[in-house]
Amino acid sequence: MSMSPITAGDSPTTTIVDRLSGIPPFEQQSEAAVGGDSLSKSSPPGSSQKSESALEFVTWDGPDDPQNPKNWSYAYKWWVTLVVCILCLDVTFASSAPTSGLHAVAQELHVSTETANLVTTVFLIGYVVGPPIWGPGSEILGRKYVSLIALGIYAIFQVGQARAQNIGTLLATRFFGGLFACAPLTNAGGIIADMWDPVGRGHAIAIFIASVFIGPVLGPVIGGYVTTSHLGWRWIFWILMICAGACTVFGFAFLPETYAPTLLAQKARRLRKLDPVANKGLLAESETRKWTPREILRVTILRPFTMMFVEPILVLITIYTSLVYGIIYSLFEAYPVIFIGKRGLTIPQNGLIFTGFGIGAILSVFVAWFFSRSYPQLIKEWRGFPPPEKRLPMGMIAGPMLVIGTLWLGWTGNYASIPWYVPALGTIFVGMSAILIFISFLSYILDSYIMYAASAFAANTMIRSGVAAAFPLFTTQMFNRMGINWASTLIAGVSLLLAPVPFIFYKYGPRIRAGSRFAPCTDLIIAKELAAEREERKAGEVYNEA
């Protein structure tokens, strides 16, 4: 059921509860953003009057129930966030690790370099196909087991890649590797939202996104040394298998379930097992949900793409983040042109250049924390729902920074007479700006769409992964034919066109969200309530003075 926009007829004193009452219980619990909220007792939908007296829903034991992930200790939440980041770093590391060995792959399997580049592309295509499977899967079976079982299957597919004797086998296993590898990445945002309140969520998302981008940075560094060693390129995939297997065991040992409906279903089963007679009528609300193929299709495919067609906020953010994501993966192909072709660095030395991007990613976390320092006060002022536009200042700074970093890299990288470290320093600005753009916009999506955030993330992830999959196919040719300087200028020009997006949303975002079918716009309701209270106080002061 869609959320209706705020109209002129809404009362200034309309409560948040009234605003959200039109959402069916399933819609409220099926998206990542509300995974930890309490569920009230009620009868299963469609039950008779007799069954209403016999059945009741299991809920949390009060607002401070320690089993509720929202009430876990601050230290434990950070530990779980760290576990999630490690899993995501592992699977994103896999996306770029083979890039340093693609020339060796092309030689041994007797294919062109362009064909070998598909090793990166098909893995990212798996990232396009996977989110509609793993996101809803986590809402049916729970975050933990969907993520970790898929991660274990991904580890097995590394064997096929390591032993591939032809390009067809390598590409097929690489695709299925990407399909299963994206499960932890798809569910990570939901796990974070299950635990953290809006204040802590901003910090956790900043570190999570940084880890997601540090993974692709480490890939060429390690892959370059492995490829040029006596081990050869096949050992890249053996290393990926070992890392994935270790992360799977680590995850089963230390990653708890965080999805509230799944935890309540487990609680209901424990209570029924403890006293089958007295607790016979106890159910978790999720146990009454019957998933039909039509419902699964609606949630997994139709809703994300519907949002892409009707939500201008999501459309522009997806275009921007897709470009940034594509730039990142294009660098894997552009760096050899700049640093090996122009300056004669070795493959391992070229891989080390990616550490500049990683330094930028780390710095972006500190910048994000700086911008979040006032958020506790905003939470207090806005009664728990500050305007999503408060997340955008980071993107407003990062957009122009990305343009500068791209031009710096391209124009200093074009001339061999300029020392290698000068364009390498430009990668720090590219890395910092890229991560800040993602932190700013993904936080904005989460705060804007709340219970529909998972669908918005799914649409964004699928499209940006598809764009990133295409970039490696033409990046080398573009940099060779246009020249490093002009190819970088083209990328910077497109970035410049999109740089005003956060400024536009900062000014007009509330008006755009007010007409949205999916954004609840709770902050606009609160703004009306605050305005009404100010008018009442002003009227009272005038009356007292009179």
Side-chain angles (χ1 to χ4, degrees):
M1 181 174 178
S2 303
M3 300 293 297
S4 59
I6 297 178
T7 63
D10 288 339
S11 169
T13 57
T14 301
T15 65
I16 298 171
V17 174
D18 293 335
R19 178 65 176 172
L20 297 178
S21 62
I23 308 174
F26 168 69
E27 299 288 357
Q28 295 185 39
Q29 73 181 33
S30 68
E31 300 290 355
V34 290
D37 292 343
S38 297
L39 301 176
S40 60
K41 291 185 178 182
S42 59
S43 299
S47 60
S48 64
Q49 186 66 31
K50 180 179 179 179
S51 64
E52 286 180 4
S53 61
L55 299 177
E56 65 174 342
F57 286 150
V58 172
T59 64
W60 300 121
D61 296 333
D64 299 321
D65 188 344
Q67 296 183 39
N68 185 344
K70 296 286 189 185
N71 296 326
W72 290 347
S73 70
Y74 192 74
Y76 188 61
K77 288 180 182 179
W78 273 118
W79 167 247
V80 176
T81 301
L82 176 62
V83 173
V84 170
C85 290
I86 291 173
L87 300 183
C88 292
L89 188 148
D90 175 67
V91 298
T92 54
F93 163 72
S95 67
S96 64
T99 56
S100 297
L102 293 182
H103 183 68
V105 171
Q107 286 185 325
E108 182 171 336
L109 299 184
H110 308 293
V111 296
S112 66
T113 303
E114 289 76 12
T115 302
N117 286 338
L118 291 172
V119 170
T120 301
T121 296
V122 297
F123 190 87
L124 293 174
I125 292 176
Y127 273 35
V128 176
V129 178
I133 301 173
W134 310 125
S138 73
E139 296 171 0
I140 300 173
L141 303 175
R143 314 256 194 231
K144 175 177 180 175
Y145 289 103
V146 167
S147 300
L148 296 180
I149 291 174
L151 183 61
I153 296 174
Y154 150 73
I156 295 173
F157 272 104
Q158 303 311 303
V159 179
Q161 295 167 52
R163 299 183 61 85
Q165 300 302 312
N166 56 70
I167 193 65
T169 301
L170 179 58
L171 295 180
T173 52
R174 185 76 174 152
F175 165 76
F176 284 107
L179 174 66
F180 287 96
C182 72
L185 195 61
T186 300
N187 294 327
I191 293 173
I192 290 173
D194 290 341
M195 300 183 296
W196 290 100
D197 59 23
V199 176
R201 185 188 306 151
H203 297 156
I205 286 179
I207 293 179
F208 158 65
I209 293 176
S211 71
V212 167
F213 284 96
I214 289 175
V217 168
L218 292 176
V221 177
I222 298 174
Y225 281 99
V226 172
T227 300
T228 56
S229 72
H230 68 281
L231 297 173
W233 65 268
R234 293 182 182 275
W235 259 94
I236 294 175
F237 298 106
W238 289 120
I239 290 173
L240 292 179
M241 183 199 71
I242 294 170
C243 291
C247 284
T248 302
V249 175
F250 177 74
F252 273 109
F254 296 108
L255 181 66
E257 181 57 61
T258 62
Y259 189 47
T262 299
L263 290 172
L264 290 173
Q266 293 173 355
K267 180 178 180 180
R269 288 193 292 269
R270 287 196 305 269
L271 292 174
R272 291 196 299 267
K273 184 177 180 180
L274 183 65
D275 192 339
V277 177
N279 297 330
K280 181 179 180 181
L282 286 177
L283 287 173
E285 189 170 357
S286 61
E287 292 180 298
T288 67
R289 183 67 192 179
K290 303 300 182 182
W291 284 84
T292 65
R294 180 178 180 181
E295 181 67 19
I296 294 174
L297 179 65
R298 183 182 70 84
V299 173
T300 60
I301 301 297
L302 297 184
R303 185 193 293 162
F305 282 98
T306 298
M307 293 181 70
M308 280 300 302
F309 279 108
V310 303
E311 295 294 319
I313 289 176
L314 185 59
V315 171
L316 285 177
I317 287 177
T318 299
I319 292 174
Y320 202 166
T321 54
S322 296
L323 169 69
V324 174
Y325 210 51
I327 290 174
I328 293 168
Y329 280 90
S330 71
L331 292 178
F332 301 146
E333 311 301 327
Y335 276 20
V337 179
I338 298 172
F339 296 102
I340 296 179
K342 286 283 185 179
R343 289 166 175 78
L345 299 186
T346 64
I347 292 178
Q349 290 171 337
N350 177 71
L352 288 174
I353 301 296
F354 284 90
T355 57
F357 192 100
I359 292 171
I362 295 171
L363 291 176
S364 70
V365 174
F366 292 99
V367 175
W369 279 56
F370 175 79
F371 275 96
S372 300
R373 70 193 190 283
S374 62
Y375 226 73
Q377 182 61 31
L378 289 174
I379 292 289
K380 182 178 179 180
E381 292 176 3
W382 288 87
R383 301 174 182 176
F385 294 90
E389 286 73 27
K390 298 298 183 181
R391 302 286 193 182
L392 292 176
M394 287 183 291
M396 296 162 70
I397 293 176
M401 188 188 301
L402 179 62
V403 177
I404 294 172
T406 305
L407 291 173
W408 182 340
L409 173 64
W411 283 89
T412 61
N414 187 62
Y415 304 101
S417 59
I418 298 177
W420 65 269
Y421 55 81
V422 177
L425 288 173
T427 65
I428 297 177
F429 285 87
V430 174
M432 185 188 303
S433 57
I435 308 307
L436 287 175
I437 288 171
F438 269 84
I439 293 173
S440 179
F441 280 137
L442 295 187
S443 299
Y444 184 60
I445 288 176
L446 181 58
D447 288 353
S448 293
Y449 293 108
I450 307 178
M451 71 289 298
Y452 295 109
S455 293
F457 281 151
N460 180 275
T461 299
M462 287 187 286
I463 293 176
R464 78 166 188 261
S465 297
V467 171
F471 264 66
L473 299 179
F474 62 80
T475 299
T476 301
Q477 296 89 327
M478 182 177 73
F479 274 78
N480 283 328
R481 294 177 184 178
M482 294 182 64
I484 297 170
N485 51 352
W486 292 112
S488 299
T489 301
L490 175 61
I491 295 174
V494 177
S495 301
L496 182 62
L497 290 176
L498 293 171
V501 170
F503 294 88
I504 294 172
F505 287 158
Y506 193 82
K507 183 174 183 179
Y508 299 105
R511 187 183 305 176
I512 298 172
R513 290 187 291 110
S516 170
R517 289 172 51 189
F518 295 93
C521 303
T522 309
D523 62 297
L524 300 186
I525 302 169
I526 295 172
K528 288 185 176 183
E529 294 175 354
L530 294 175
E533 291 173 3
R534 285 194 295 268
E535 290 297 325
E536 290 177 2
R537 287 196 300 268
K538 185 177 179 180
E541 292 172 359
V542 171
Y543 177 80
N544 291 332
E545 290 177 359

